[in-house]
Amino acid sequence: MQKQNSTNQIQEFERNNLQIVEEELLDGIACPRCQSTDFRKDGTDKRKTTRVQRYKCKSCNYGFTISGVIKRKRYQQNSITAKELGIAHKYHYRSKSIGLDKIYQPWLREGFVRFIRFIANRSEFSSIVNHTSHINRFSKFLLDRYPAITISELDRNVILEYLTTIRGLKHARQYIGSLRLFLETGVRNNWFTVPPYLITDDDYPKKIKPLPRYIPEEVMRQLNEHLDKLPEPVMRMVLVHQECGFRVSELVTLRLNCLQETPNGGCFILYTNWKLNKEDTKPISPELAKVIKEQQEYISQYLKDFDYLFCGQEHYQKGKFGFTESFIPKPQPMRKEKFTRFLKELAHKYNITDSTGKIWNFQSHQFRHTVGTRMINNGVPQHIVQIYLGHESPEMTMVYAHIHDETLRKEIEKYHESRVVNFQGETAELDETVLSSNDDLEWFKKNVQARALEHGYCARPKMLGDCDIPGFDGCYNCPHWRTNKNFLPVLKDTLERTNNVLEKAQNCGWQLQVHKNMPIKENLEKVIKTLEADND
C-alpha cells in the first residue's frame, strides 16, 4: 500500500511539473533529432493497457512519440547542463546535462543545485552525475516515508532510518558519502541549518579492499591476435591504452598534437589528468610513437579542423557487428561507451574467453589496472608506478598493484637471500637496499667499517674506533656483527666445534670455558634457527 501511495505521489508530481498535454504540444512539435516540423504518423506502440501514436520525421527518418517529447521537455526544464556549470571544456560533455527531475522536494532540489555549482570547479562531470544519482535515492526515500518533510525537520532519526534502507547495497558507502558531503557543505556555506553530526564515520559500512580488475594475460593475448579486426582508429586506441593505462577521460581527450619527441630520441605523450586538473606527460616506446603518427595522419586525411587524436563514429545499424568494419569518422571525441562496445562485440564474435571459457567482459578501466599490475610484477618501484599512473597518493596505486603469486614467491626468496641478522638472530635494518645509490654507498664507506669476516661482516661505526674484540669467536656476542644465510655452513661448523668444547669443559669441570662458550652456543643457535626458517 505504501509503495502504491509513493507511485501515485510521483505521478502527481510529474503531472504538476509538466503542465502540458499532448494535444497542446502537437501544434509546435519538432523532431527531437533534426528539429524539423515535417513528420507523419507511423503506426502505434502498445503500452500496457493503451496504444501510443508514433510519428516519423520526413527529413531524417527518426521515429518518436509525443510522450517521449514530453519527457524530454520535462527533463530539459529540470536539468542543468555542463556548460551552465562552467565545465563544458572538460572531456566531451558539451551537450551533457544533469537531470534533477527525480529530486522531488523543492527545498532539496534548490539546495542540491547550489551544491553542484559549488563543487563544479574541482569535480569531474561524472562525479557530479554520481552525486545526483545518490541524492535521487535519498529524495525517493523521503517521498516514501516523509512526504511532507522540510529541511528543518531533518534529524538523526530520519537519517538512521534511511541508512537501514541502503544497508547491504553495493554502493552504500557512496550513497552515505554524497549525502554527508551535501549536508556539511550546505551548513558550512549557511544555505540551511541541520543538527550537527547527522552522519558520522561510524555510519559507513566496513570498506572491502577491492581486487584489481586487470586483464589476464591469456585474454590479452587473444585480444592482440584479433586487433586487426577492429577499425584502424579503434585498434590504435587499444594499443595506446595497453601501454599507457590512461583513465578513459584522458584517453578520449588526447589532443592531435599529443606526441612529443626529444632531441636524443625520447618519446612522450602529453595528456590532461582531469582528476588532478593538470597537464602531464608519459614516456612511451618508439613503436607506440609510430602508431600515434599513423593516427595523426588518419585524422588529417578524413577530418578537418579536428583537435583530438581519436574521433567518434557516425551512426551505425544497431545490433550488427559489421559497423566495426566500416568505420565512418565523426568530428567528435570517441565516447567511452562506444569504445567499450567495440571490444565487447569483438570478444563475442571471436570468442575471447578467460581460463574458465567465459566470454571476457571488457571495460576500459581494466587496461589501467593491467598496466599497474604489469609494472609491479616487473619490479618497477611503487613510487614510479604512482607517478606514471598519475595517482595523488600511494594508497591509490596499491589498489591497482596486484602481485602475482609467482612474483610474490620470487620476491620473498630474494628477501630471504639478502636478509641480514645480528648476533641475537634478529633482522638487522641494514641490508642491500640501503646501498641503493652512489651517495648511500659513499656514506656507508665513510661511516661503517664493513670489514669482511669469514662468518659475516662487521658493521661497527667508525666513530667508535677500531674493534678491540680478539678473534672471530668474540663476534658472536657483539651487537655490530652481521650475517646471512650464505654463511650457514660456517655457522653450523662453529656451533659443532663450540658444542664439543662445552662438552669437554663440562666433563673436566672447566667453568671458565663453560662460562665463555655458553653465550656463543646460545647466540649461534638463535641465528641458525632464524636463517633456517628463511630457507623453509
Side-chain angles (χ1 to χ4, degrees):
M1 184 66 181
Q2 188 181 47
K3 183 176 181 180
Q4 181 63 40
N5 291 337
S6 173
T7 303
N8 293 337
Q9 290 169 343
I10 294 175
Q11 291 174 346
E12 182 180 356
F13 170 83
E14 291 178 343
R15 285 195 298 270
N16 295 336
N17 191 45
L18 184 60
Q19 296 180 347
I20 195 166
V21 294
E22 179 171 335
E23 291 78 8
E24 295 174 350
L25 181 65
L26 192 56
D27 292 337
I29 197 171
C31 170
R33 175 182 287 177
C34 69
Q35 304 304 312
S36 171
T37 56
D38 189 11
F39 54 88
R40 60 179 174 81
K41 290 185 177 182
D42 187 40
T44 59
D45 285 345
K46 187 175 180 181
R47 304 282 178 84
K48 293 184 178 180
T49 59
T50 61
R51 301 192 70 86
V52 178
Q53 179 66 56
R54 287 192 59 81
Y55 299 88
K56 181 161 285 190
C57 177
K58 295 181 180 180
S59 298
C60 68
N61 210 34
Y62 182 74
F64 59 91
T65 63
I66 297 299
S67 60
V69 175
I70 291 175
K71 289 179 180 179
R72 183 186 294 263
K73 283 186 173 290
R74 188 197 68 197
Y75 180 85
Q76 292 173 345
Q77 291 170 359
N78 294 279
S79 64
I80 185 167
T81 65
K83 186 175 181 180
E84 291 176 293
L85 292 173
I87 56 176
H89 66 285
K90 289 186 177 181
Y91 200 2
H92 52 280
Y93 291 119
R94 292 183 177 87
S95 61
K96 298 291 184 179
S97 58
I98 298 171
L100 305 171
D101 54 316
K102 290 188 172 112
I103 301 180
Y104 304 107
Q105 298 76 15
W107 59 266
L108 183 56
R109 190 184 315 122
E110 179 184 352
F112 186 70
V113 169
R114 300 179 76 171
F115 168 72
I116 59 178
R117 288 186 184 277
F118 180 79
I119 67 172
N121 287 335
R122 60 182 184 275
S123 300
E124 288 193 74
F125 188 83
S126 56
S127 297
I128 298 176
V129 171
N130 290 335
H131 285 312
T132 306
S133 173
H134 302 160
I135 296 301
N136 286 347
R137 177 176 288 273
F138 180 63
S139 177
K140 177 66 166 56
F141 160 79
L142 292 180
L143 189 66
D144 287 346
R145 307 287 180 91
Y146 303 94
I149 195 171
T150 63
I151 185 66
S152 60
E153 297 170 322
L154 201 61
D155 58 21
R156 176 67 176 167
N157 290 329
V158 174
I159 296 298
L160 288 176
E161 188 175 348
Y162 172 63
L163 295 180
T164 61
T165 66
I166 62 174
R167 184 178 297 131
L169 296 180
K170 181 179 179 180
H171 300 295
R173 290 183 62 89
Q174 286 82 351
Y175 295 141
I176 298 171
S178 292
L179 181 58
R180 184 180 188 178
L181 181 62
F182 164 67
L183 293 174
E184 290 180 352
T185 303
V187 171
R188 195 162 52 246
N189 290 282
N190 296 319
W191 299 338
F192 48 73
T193 301
V194 294
Y197 309 114
L198 280 181
I199 299 177
T200 68
D201 293 341
D202 295 334
D203 294 328
Y204 290 85
K206 184 178 179 180
K207 188 174 182 179
I208 300 175
K209 184 179 179 181
L211 287 174
R213 298 171 294 160
Y214 65 92
I215 303 173
E217 290 302 325
E218 65 267 21
V219 175
M220 193 68 81
R221 176 183 53 78
Q222 296 173 68
L223 172 63
N224 290 331
E225 287 176 357
H226 298 99
L227 268 185
D228 59 336
K229 307 301 189 301
L230 291 169
E232 288 184 16
V234 181
M235 176 186 68
R236 298 187 190 109
M237 201 170 181
V238 173
L239 291 173
V240 171
H241 212 13
Q242 281 190 24
E243 180 169 326
C244 297
F246 285 120
R247 299 179 181 93
V248 68
S249 59
E250 299 164 355
L251 178 67
V252 299
T253 54
L254 286 172
R255 293 290 176 173
L256 188 61
N257 61 347
C258 63
L259 182 62
Q260 296 182 343
E261 296 179 280
T262 61
N264 60 0
C267 301
F268 293 83
I269 188 168
L270 176 68
Y271 71 100
T272 302
N273 184 332
W274 294 115
K275 202 156 192 175
L276 302 183
N277 201 23
K278 68 174 185 177
E279 284 195 334
D280 212 338
T281 59
K282 289 186 182 186
I284 59 174
S285 65
E287 293 77 15
L288 187 62
K290 183 179 179 181
V291 170
I292 292 174
K293 289 178 180 178
E294 292 174 354
Q295 181 61 19
Q296 289 173 331
E297 293 175 2
Y298 178 91
I299 294 296
S300 300
Q301 179 181 353
Y302 291 101
L303 297 174
K304 303 299 180 184
D305 301 322
F306 185 66
D307 294 334
Y308 295 95
L309 183 63
F310 299 112
C311 61
Q313 182 204 19
E314 290 290 357
H315 186 66
Y316 57 86
Q317 191 170 356
K318 187 176 180 181
K320 290 190 176 182
F321 184 85
F323 76 84
T324 64
E325 298 164 2
S326 56
F327 189 93
I328 302 175
K330 184 178 183 179
Q332 71 175 32
M334 172 73 75
R335 292 179 57 193
K336 65 177 182 179
E337 298 85 0
K338 185 74 67 66
F339 171 65
T340 305
R341 179 170 179 175
F342 278 114
L343 296 174
K344 289 178 183 291
E345 298 204 15
L346 184 75
H348 277 85
K349 183 171 184 179
Y350 293 98
N351 197 36
I352 299 177
T353 62
D354 60 15
S355 58
T356 65
K358 184 178 179 181
I359 298 291
W360 185 259
N361 183 31
F362 281 102
Q363 301 291 337
S364 61
H365 208 68
Q366 293 169 350
F367 290 91
R368 185 168 174 82
H369 287 254
T370 304
V371 170
T373 300
R374 282 177 168 176
M375 294 178 75
I376 290 292
N377 280 284
N378 285 322
V380 179
Q382 183 179 324
H383 70 281
I384 299 298
V385 179
Q386 177 184 341
I387 295 172
Y388 188 82
L389 293 179
H391 288 155
E392 197 169 12
S393 66
E395 290 74 20
M396 296 174 66
T397 307
M398 287 306 298
V399 174
Y400 297 84
H402 177 74
I403 300 179
H404 291 299
D405 293 340
E406 180 66 18
T407 305
L408 185 61
R409 182 183 65 79
K410 290 180 180 179
E411 288 299 315
I412 290 175
E413 286 181 356
K414 180 180 176 182
Y415 164 72
H416 287 320
E417 288 288 343
S418 61
R419 188 181 183 194
V420 177
V421 298
N422 61 17
F423 75 113
Q424 290 290 325
E426 302 165 338
T427 300
E429 294 296 326
L430 186 62
D431 57 25
E432 65 179 10
T433 59
V434 174
L435 310 181
S436 56
S437 70
N438 290 335
D439 291 340
D440 293 332
L441 183 58
E442 191 63 27
W443 178 91
F444 187 75
K445 289 178 180 178
K446 290 180 179 179
N447 294 276
V448 180
Q449 295 187 40
R451 182 161 58 95
L453 307 172
E454 65 176 16
H455 50 20
Y457 68 89
C458 178
R460 180 183 175 88
K462 283 192 174 183
M463 62 181 294
L464 297 181
D466 294 334
C467 179
D468 55 0
I469 297 177
F472 286 146
D473 288 348
C475 297
Y476 298 121
N477 294 320
C478 177
H480 302 304
W481 173 60
R482 300 289 184 267
T483 191
N484 60 33
K485 62 185 294 184
N486 296 324
F487 297 96
L488 265 175
V490 177
L491 300 177
K492 288 182 177 180
D493 182 65
T494 304
L495 178 60
E496 184 179 355
R497 286 189 289 104
T498 303
N499 284 332
N500 292 335
V501 170
L502 277 172
E503 184 179 359
K504 186 170 184 178
Q506 288 170 344
N507 291 337
C508 296
W510 299 340
Q511 294 303 317
L512 180 61
Q513 291 296 326
V514 172
H515 180 74
K516 177 181 177 182
N517 284 278
M518 187 58 72
I520 294 176
K521 166 186 165 67
E522 293 173 351
N523 291 340
L524 278 170
E525 288 176 340
K526 292 177 184 176
V527 170
I528 291 172
K529 182 180 179 181
T530 300
L531 295 178
E532 285 186 332
D534 286 350
N535 275 336
D536 295 337

